[in-house]
């Protein structure tokens, strides 16, 4: 049974809601329209009789023949009104009429002569005729009703466009939301994985708190800060953290809120927004998705009065109008900085341009710790291992992973989030939900197993690919199965050999189908698409083709409008396009051949892998490592030369003092003596370098060595 305190809380909490509902009803235009109609109805029903009581025609005739009538009036609307003599009244208990001194009766045209005769007989001088016309009120209503209807319709449309109520006719005012004390505060402690961005924004917060410290050394306040990065990296979260840390008025608005259907509204709202910010300085103005108004001017088709450009012009003027003592900082966020107008990006407007990138492994670990607060985790859960399995994920993706894990835990009626649930949540975020109800035939299931086994086998048989961490033949999303290859550490660049290995890995499934079943399926369509796109980038963007060279071919498609680039022709000839196609085909064929060799050389391993897949359906990294322990890897590729006439140096990379110390004191695993020479590709050397590379010592100086000329038509072997 609820306590009295609970009841009081319910009662207190319900009253404001009722008040809000009542105010919402009063602000609704439909309420006032209905009220006006009811008022008009009352006017025409109550006030239309003029104080006369309605009686029957027979009763009216009796009053006339009894000579109780002082005066009578007959109208053209077949209405007879009678004013009784002084002291005379009319009562009818059946109709609840008592003491009436004025009565009226309606009659038909056939009774009119009879009533006229009675009036002439009993009231020779006391009756009159009246030609009935429209009343003044009705005439006024008919005259002004169309105008009132149009005004009301316009008012209704404006109220709907502006949110109703007091916002009507205030479309030129700023719609920015002011962060109040009741707004949930987000601080820098809630932000993880963006240390550089937080450090830059700390300076902004400190300037707002203590501007004299910076003005004393001649530093000017930064007028604008631009946060750019991929969706989900935490740009809006950083802005909210600045609002929570600064303790100053914080105005938040979306870029699309500036532009509406009326000309000049956006510019007016910009002026009003900055007037409010200046009046409450120091203050912060946050514009989310600024690309809605800051898009490159002149990039559209057609002319006329472009409302978006006018808004941008006003924004530029307001940012230039800041003086030194006006502590107003504009923070903007966008995930498309390439399409912003150059005038918006120059120093003096956006003095800080902060990239909010995808977090690294340490950043992902911190993000998982932040979002894991309040979630019951099992004791054996290692969030660092989860961070290793989620390369490339943004903060929003990681939050989604933990939320999916919590939902799966609740769905299975568990109390703690364990590793199994987290693994399933990662797969759901990457590939989509698992389709348990899809029924596959035995043949198609075996084809899928060989397809995914081909991918995994080729990935394990190449020399520059990341380890295979998972293979499954369970349908998930739009895939019948998938192979997961995850890097051990975060990587920010890719070598040519790694890309060639990725091409072979992408075609591994198709090759397995060709070799085993001699009849490839459509399941490799996405693999072929990805391989072709990567090979074309190698030729046209990365400069990894001998025939084409280090040339960028084509233009990026970052500009969605044609106004700026209209009329531009393709920047390469048809002959070059044919060469590009030939080079792409050459790369794909070479990758196809390498995958074919890996599958043929390790056919017994592929068959063993397929049997395990058909039995267990999903294999993890440890199980795969056991299967691939005896795999025959492909030999190393010869050193690639961009041109046969260019010099190839055989000098290895410089070693830091820490690396040299590590190599001097190591013992080769194969029994090599301490201080063995550095050998390129030696596992012991590579391991020692990787172990001590993070020590951070500077490179040692080496004496210059002689450059060796490559003979014409020759090749220097590694």
């Amino acid at each position: 049974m609820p306590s009295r305190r609970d009841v009081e809380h319910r009662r207190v909490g319900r009253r404001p809601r009722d008040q809000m509902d009542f105010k919402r009803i009063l602000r609704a235009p439909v309420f006032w329209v209905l009220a006006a109609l009811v008022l008009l109805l009352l006017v025409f029903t109550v006030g239309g009789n003029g104080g006369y009581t309605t009686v029957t025609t027979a009763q009216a005739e009796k009053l006339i023949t009894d000579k109780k009538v002082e005066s009578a009036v007959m109208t053209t609307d077949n209405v007879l009104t009678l004013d009784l003599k002084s002291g005379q009244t009319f009562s009818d208990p059946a109709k609840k009429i008592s003491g009436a001194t004025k009565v009226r009766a309606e009659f038909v045209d056939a009774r009119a002569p009879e009533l006229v005769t009675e009036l002439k007989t009993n009231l020779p001088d006391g009756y009159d005729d009246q030609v009935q016309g429209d009343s003044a009120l009705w005439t006024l209503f008919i005259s002004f009703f169309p105008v009132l209807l149009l005004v009301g319709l316009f008012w209704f449309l404006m109220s709907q466009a502006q949110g109703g109520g007091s916002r009507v006719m205030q479309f030129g005012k700023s719609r920015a939301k002011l962060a109040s004390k009741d707004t949930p505060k987000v601080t820098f402690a809630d932000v993880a994985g963006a240390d550089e961005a937080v450090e830059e924004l700390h300076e902004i917060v400190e300037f707002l708190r203590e501007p004299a410290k910076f003005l004393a050394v001649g530093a000017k306040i930064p007028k604008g800060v631009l946060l750019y990065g991929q969706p989900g990296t935490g740009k809006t979260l950083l802005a909210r953290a600045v609002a929570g840390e600064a303790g100053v008025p914080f105005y938040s608005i979306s870029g699309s809120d500036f532009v509406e259907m009326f000309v000049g509204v956006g510019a007016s709202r910009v002026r009003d927004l900055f007037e409010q910010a200046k009046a409450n300085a120091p203050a912060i103005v946050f514009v989310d998705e600024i690309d809605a108004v800051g898009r490159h001017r002149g990039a559209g088709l057609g002319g006329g009065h472009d409302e978006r450009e006018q808004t941008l012009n006003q924004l530029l003027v307001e940012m230039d109008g800041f003086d030194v003592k006006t502590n107003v900082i504009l923070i903007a966020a966008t995930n498309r900085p390439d399409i912003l107008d150059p005038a918006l990006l120059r120093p003096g407007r956006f003095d800080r341009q902060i990239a909010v990138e995808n977090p690294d492994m340490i950043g992902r670990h911190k993000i998982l710790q932040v979002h894991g607060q309040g979630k019951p985790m099992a004791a054996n859960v290692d969030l660092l291992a989860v961070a290793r399995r989620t390369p490339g994920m943004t903060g929003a993706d990681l939050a989604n992973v933990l939320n999916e894990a919590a939902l799966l835990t609740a769905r299975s009626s568990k109390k703690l989030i364990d590793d199994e649930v987290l693994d399933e949540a990662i797969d759901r975020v990457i590939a989509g939900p698992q389709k348990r109800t899809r029924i596959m035939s035995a043949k198609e299931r075996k084809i899928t197993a060989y397809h995914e086994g081909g991918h995994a086998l080729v990935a394990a048989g190449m020399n520059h690919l990341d380890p295979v961490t998972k293979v499954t033949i369970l349908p998930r999303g739009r895939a019948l199965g998938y192979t997961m290859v995850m890097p051990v550490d975060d990587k920010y660049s890719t070598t040519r050999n790694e890309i060639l290995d990725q091409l072979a890995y992408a075609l591994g499934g198709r090759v397995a189908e060709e070799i085993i079943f001699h009849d490839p399926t459509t399941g490799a369509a996405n693999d072929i698409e990805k391989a072709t796109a990567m090979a074309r980038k190698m030729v046209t963007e990365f400069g990894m083709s001998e025939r084409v060279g280090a040339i960028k071919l084509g233009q990026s498609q970052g500009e969605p409008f044609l106004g700026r680039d209209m009329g531009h022709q393709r920047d390469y000839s048809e002959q070059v396009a044919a060469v590009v196609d030939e080079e792409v085909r050459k790369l794909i064929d070479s990758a196809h051949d390498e995958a074919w060799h890996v599958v043929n050389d390790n056919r017994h391993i592929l068959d063993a892998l397929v049997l395990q897949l058909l039995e267990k359906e999903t294999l993890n990294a440890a199980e795969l490592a056991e299967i691939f322990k005896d795999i025959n890897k492909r030999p190393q590729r010869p050193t690639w030369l961009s041109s046969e006439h260019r010099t190839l140096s055989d000098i290895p990379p410089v070693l830091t003092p820490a690396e040299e110390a590590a190599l001097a004191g190591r013992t080769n695993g194969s029994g090599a003596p301490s201080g063995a020479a550095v050998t390129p590709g030696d596992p012991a050397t590579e391991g020692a370098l990787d172990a001590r590379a993070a020590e951070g010592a500077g490179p040692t100086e080496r004496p210059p060595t002689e450059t060796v000329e490559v003979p014409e038509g020759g090749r220097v072997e590694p």
Side-chain angles (χ1 to χ4, degrees), residues 372-648:
Q373 295 177 359
K375 292 182 173 62
M377 296 287 182
N380 60 343
V381 170
D382 186 7
L383 292 180
L384 183 60
V386 178
R388 290 183 181 275
R389 286 185 289 171
T390 53
M393 284 194 178
T394 63
D397 295 329
L398 296 173
N400 192 21
V401 167
L402 290 182
N403 187 55
E404 286 287 345
L407 292 175
L408 291 172
T409 303
R411 187 184 303 174
S412 58
S413 301
K414 296 181 179 179
K415 301 298 182 181
L416 298 176
I417 301 174
D418 53 17
D419 285 330
E420 182 182 356
V421 172
L422 283 171
D423 187 66
E424 174 65 20
I426 294 173
D427 291 343
R428 288 176 69 91
V429 172
I430 294 177
Q434 183 176 321
K435 297 182 178 179
R436 302 181 183 274
T437 58
R438 177 174 291 178
I439 300 176
M440 299 172 60
S441 63
K443 181 181 178 181
E444 192 166 9
R445 196 162 174 265
K446 184 174 289 187
I447 293 175
T448 304
Y450 269 104
H451 183 100
E452 301 303 330
H455 283 303
L457 183 67
V458 174
M462 307 308 290
N463 298 288
H464 305 279
L465 272 182
D466 300 312
V468 185
T469 58
K470 189 175 184 178
V471 180
T472 181
I473 58 173
L474 294 175
R476 186 180 294 273
R478 294 184 297 176
L480 298 178
Y482 62 92
T483 302
M484 191 175 294
V485 177
M486 290 291 181
V488 179
D489 298 314
D490 292 323
K491 302 177 67 174
Y492 303 98
S493 61
T494 309
T495 65
R496 185 177 184 271
N497 280 320
E498 290 174 347
I499 298 178
L500 293 177
D501 285 1
Q502 291 176 9
L503 294 180
Y505 159 66
L507 296 175
R510 170 65 179 263
V511 169
E513 293 179 5
E514 293 177 357
I515 294 177
I516 307 302
F517 300 100
H518 314 292
D519 190 15
T521 67
T522 59
N526 190 37
D527 302 328
I528 295 174
E529 180 184 355
K530 292 180 178 179
T532 306
M534 182 59 68
R536 188 168 294 277
K537 286 184 177 182
M538 290 180 65
V539 178
T540 61
E541 297 184 21
F542 304 152
M544 295 179 179
S545 171
E546 298 93 338
R547 295 181 62 187
V548 177
I551 300 176
K552 171 67 169 66
L553 301 178
Q555 298 178 359
S556 60
Q557 304 296 322
E559 182 63 51
F561 295 102
L562 302 177
R564 189 177 68 176
D565 299 325
M566 178 170 286
H568 291 194
Q569 298 180 355
R570 188 172 61 181
D571 55 3
Y572 55 94
S573 64
E574 293 293 337
Q575 290 80 6
V576 175
V579 172
V580 170
D581 293 340
E582 292 175 5
E583 289 295 295
V584 171
R585 176 64 185 271
K586 180 180 176 181
L587 290 171
I588 296 295
D589 288 343
S590 178
H592 206 131
D593 293 340
E594 287 189 322
W596 187 88
H597 283 292
V598 172
V599 174
N600 267 320
D601 295 343
N602 301 276
R603 173 62 188 275
H604 62 290
I605 297 179
L606 177 62
D607 292 337
L609 175 61
V610 169
L611 288 176
Q612 291 289 328
L613 279 175
L614 292 175
E615 179 183 356
K616 299 180 180 180
E617 295 184 333
T618 301
L619 300 177
N620 56 27
E623 294 170 333
L624 291 170
E626 179 65 25
I627 296 173
F628 294 145
K629 64 181 180 179
D630 297 327
I631 193 171
N632 295 321
K633 289 183 173 290
R634 290 289 297 163
Q636 293 285 346
R637 298 186 185 91
T639 304
W640 179 74
L641 296 176
S642 58
S643 176
E644 295 181 350
H645 305 286
R646 296 191 179 102
T647 301
L648 180 66

Side-chain angles (χ1 to χ4, degrees), residues 55 61 73 110 124 139 180 197 203 292 340 350 399 425 533 592 707:
V55 299
E61 289 182 359
V73 176
T139 304
S180 61
E203 179 184 329
L340 295 181
F350 281 110
H592 206 131
T707 304

Side-chain angles (χ1 to χ4, degrees), residues 175-242:
R175 301 177 66 179
K177 300 177 181 178
L178 178 62
S180 61
K181 297 180 179 179
D182 299 330
T183 306
K185 279 193 175 183
V186 178
T187 62
F188 288 139
D190 302 317
V191 181
D195 297 337
E196 292 83 2
V198 170
E199 184 179 351
E200 292 289 336
L201 293 174
H202 257 302
E203 179 184 329
I204 304 298
V205 174
E206 191 175 356
F207 196 102
L208 291 172
R209 289 177 175 174
E210 302 178 12
K213 173 182 171 182
F214 294 85
L215 295 175
V217 296
K220 296 182 179 179
I221 181 173
K223 296 180 180 180
V225 178
L226 179 65
L227 305 174
Y228 64 92
Q230 296 182 11
T233 50
K235 300 181 294 293
T236 305
L237 181 65
L238 281 169
R240 292 171 60 189
V242 172

Side-chain angles (χ1 to χ4, degrees), residues 236-419:
T236 305
L237 181 65
L238 281 169
R240 292 171 60 189
V242 172
E245 291 282 348
V248 298
F250 185 87
Y251 297 90
S252 176
I253 192 172
S254 174
S256 60
D257 287 337
F258 287 116
V259 184
E260 291 228 3
M261 57 182 175
F262 304 106
V263 175
V265 170
S268 176
R269 287 180 176 176
V270 170
R271 286 191 296 269
D272 184 67
L273 174 60
F274 282 96
E275 286 177 2
Q276 295 181 35
K278 292 176 184 177
N280 296 281
I284 297 175
V285 177
F286 174 60
V287 182
D288 200 4
E289 306 295 344
I290 196 174
D291 52 277
V293 294
R295 197 185 298 268
H296 198 297
R297 289 173 291 185
L301 293 176
H305 190 97
D306 194 334
E307 177 63 15
R308 180 179 51 78
E309 291 191 5
Q310 302 303 319
T311 305
L312 176 59
N313 292 337
Q314 187 62 42
L315 182 62
L316 298 177
V317 170
E318 292 292 340
M319 295 185 71
D320 285 339
F322 294 0
D323 56 32
V324 180
K325 298 182 179 179
T326 303
N327 294 343
V328 177
I329 297 178
L330 176 63
I331 300 178
T334 181
N335 50 30
R336 306 176 68 186
D338 55 316
I339 67 171
L340 295 181
D341 194 272
L344 192 64
L345 298 177
R346 72 165 178 83
R349 288 182 176 137
F350 281 110
D351 303 280
R352 298 283 192 277
Q353 297 184 21
I354 303 173
V356 187
E357 301 175 343
N358 291 353
D360 55 8
M361 185 179 65
I362 304 300
R364 293 195 298 274
H365 185 208
K366 294 180 180 178
I367 293 173
L368 289 170
Q369 288 177 335
V370 171
H371 290 290
Q373 295 177 359
K375 292 182 173 62
M377 296 287 182
N380 60 343
V381 170
D382 186 7
L383 292 180
L384 183 60
V386 178
R388 290 183 181 275
R389 286 185 289 171
T390 53
M393 284 194 178
T394 63
D397 295 329
L398 296 173
N400 192 21
V401 167
L402 290 182
N403 187 55
E404 286 287 345
L407 292 175
L408 291 172
T409 303
R411 187 184 303 174
S412 58
S413 301
K414 296 181 179 179
K415 301 298 182 181
L416 298 176
I417 301 174
D418 53 17
D419 285 330

